[in-house]
Amino acid sequence: GQQLNQSPQSMFIQEGEDVSMNCTSSSIFNTWLWYKQEPGEGPVLLIALYKAGELTSNGRLTAQFGITRKDSFLNISASIPSDVGIYFCAGSGGSNYKLTFGKGTLLTVNP
Amino acid sequence: DGGITQSPKYLFRKEGQNVTLSCEQNLNHDAMYWYRQDPGQGLRLIYYSQIVNDFQKGDIAEGYSVSREKKESFPLTVTSAQKNPTAFYLCASSIDRSRGPQHFGDGTRLSIL
């Protein structure tokens, strides 16, 4: 089946720093989705990517659908304490729209 | 405000008992999903439904059952056949399945007594 590697597993940064995380797949994807989850809550969809090479922003967040269609990147600029949470990538390929989730990146921001 | 409501927030199951988790959405979405989340893991799909009166098994459907009698509602039953039910259960919805889950509920945490 499809495998998806998300890295890093965790990050500890200072407020104001930029953050970058990525996901790589063993197979080609048609869709990449990025979510943020806070403790005790459901994930919130941050950015959806549906085309190779696509670069999309949502405020201080920017995500890219890799040209190879096997990877995606999420960048957060000028981090703030409320950026704390677990960020998940998810991707799907093929006509069955089967979505595979990464294991998440835990982000901690020190004020 | 539109959204997904899951209830209860916390649920305890006894041995041999079936329990049902509620999921209601007022987003007018066709597709609905149930995911299971275990600590340090990504989400795993239990069941999904693309339209009323239709649903399909996901990757870990054994020991679970669902129904989709109304567009707004997609309840999940955790049966006694599910031997390791302790987890965080998340319901989600989307306009259609091709876009992936667009909205999630706040989850139900199920534990064994």
Side-chain angles (χ1 to χ4, degrees), chain B residues 25-38:
Chain B
Q25 56 106 350
N26 61 3
L27 297 162
N28 200 32
H29 283 172
D30 282 322
M32 296 187 74
Y33 315 78
W34 274 105
Y35 286 93
R36 170 178 171 141
Q37 185 174 33
D38 294 282

Side-chain angles (χ1 to χ4, degrees), chain A:
Chain A
Q2 292 171 338
Q3 294 187 10
L4 205 159
N5 293 312
Q6 183 170 354
S7 65
Q9 280 189 318
S10 61
M11 304 181 74
F12 297 85
I13 62 169
Q14 293 296 125
E15 183 176 359
E17 290 183 1
D18 296 344
V19 171
S20 185
M21 59 192 79
N22 70 85
C23 282
T24 58
S25 166
S26 58
S27 54
I28 289 174
F29 280 171
N30 296 322
T31 299
W32 283 101
L33 306 171
W34 285 92
Y35 298 89
K36 177 188 177 186
Q37 186 177 26
E38 298 186 26
E41 299 182 7
V44 173
L45 180 62
L46 300 172
I47 294 177
L49 303 162
Y50 300 110
K51 194 164 57 175
E54 184 179 359
L55 183 72
T56 299
S57 293
N58 178 4
R60 293 177 296 104
L61 278 61
T62 301
Q64 183 162 25
F65 193 141
I67 288 291
T68 65
R69 295 172 64 191
K70 291 186 175 183
D71 57 7
S72 179
F73 303 85
L74 176 70
N75 296 318
I76 305 173
S77 63
S79 59
I80 58 178
S82 62
D83 289 334
V84 166
I86 302 176
Y87 291 79
F88 289 100
C89 64
S92 72
S95 58
N96 66 358
Y97 307 120
K98 177 178 160 63
L99 201 66
T100 301
F101 279 81
K103 293 186 178 181
T105 295
L106 173 62
L107 178 64
T108 303
V109 180
N110 295 318

Side-chain angles (χ1 to χ4, degrees), chain B residues 43-74:
Chain B
L43 279 64
R44 292 183 292 167
L45 182 65
I46 304 172
Y47 269 97
Y48 68 92
S49 168
Q50 296 191 94
I51 202 165
V52 175
N53 292 323
D54 176 74
F55 49 83
Q56 304 293 330
K57 292 181 180 179
D59 298 320
I60 55 166
E62 186 174 349
Y64 301 97
S65 66
V66 294
S67 63
R68 186 87 186 275
E69 298 176 2
K70 299 185 300 182
K71 189 174 187 177
E72 313 84 61
S73 179
F74 191 40

